[in-house]
């Protein structure tokens, strides 16, 4: 939660869409893990405010973002503490009007920021997340010191999966 709060303080993309609706539906508990729940999300909103990305300010476009549906999951402890949230890529890259860009990437695209395709293993996106984002006071993944010991993967952000 601390990482997410830190990132959102430097990155106001959600505020730029004051009418953003994140429609949630289809909740289901994982039949193999009773401490994980999956659900679908479909986002829609209008870029009415400027987007601040580090030193760059993107003026409002007044365009409506219709984001492709994606899957979310939450994992928690038996005591009820959420330990991990996951957002998938778009389920159908042809849905919506963001050229296959999902979630925040779709909002940024609608807000006028050209982005590389946001997929796991995209080397340009991974480079941007590791080296460019810190230069403009942005953060795309947790600091090593904040990763719990039980987490197995060394992949960060858009890195290709290693487990």
């Amino acid at each position: 939660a601390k990482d997410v709060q830190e990132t959102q303080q430097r990155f106001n993309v959600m505020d730029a869409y004051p009418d953003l609706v994140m429609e949630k539906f289809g909740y289901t508990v994982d039949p193999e893990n009773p401490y994980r729940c999956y659900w679908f999300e479909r986002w829609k909103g209008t870029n009415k405010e400027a987007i601040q990305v580090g030193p760059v300010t993107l003026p409002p476009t007044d365009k409506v973002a219709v984001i492709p549906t994606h899957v979310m999951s939450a994992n928690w402890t038996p005591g009820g503490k959420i330990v991990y949230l996951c957002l998938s890529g778009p389920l159908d890259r042809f849905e919506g009007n963001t050229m296959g860009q999902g979630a925040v990437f779709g909002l940024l695209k609608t807000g006028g920021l050209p982005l590389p395709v946001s997929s796991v293993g995209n080397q340009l996106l991974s480079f941007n997340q590791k080296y460019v984002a810190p230069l403009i006071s942005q953060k795309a993944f947790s600091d090593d010191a904040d990763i719990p010991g039980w987490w197995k993967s060394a992949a960060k952000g858009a890195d290709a999966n290693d487990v």
Side-chain angles (χ1 to χ4, degrees), residues 31-96:
E32 294 184 8
N33 180 353
Y35 300 108
R36 181 183 340 203
C37 178
Y38 294 101
W39 67 94
F40 297 95
E41 286 191 1
R42 184 180 298 120
W43 300 3
K44 184 177 181 180
T46 311
N47 179 219
K48 291 288 191 182
E49 304 291 335
I51 298 175
Q52 189 71 40
V53 183
V56 176
T57 301
L58 301 169
T61 64
D62 283 326
K63 293 181 180 176
V64 174
V66 180
I67 308 297
T69 302
H70 59 266
V71 174
M72 293 288 298
S73 69
N75 295 264
W76 60 91
T77 66
K81 179 181 177 184
I82 292 179
V83 293
Y84 177 64
L85 289 171
C86 180
L87 181 149
S88 77
L91 296 175
D92 179 353
R93 65 189 177 123
F94 299 107
E95 179 185 8

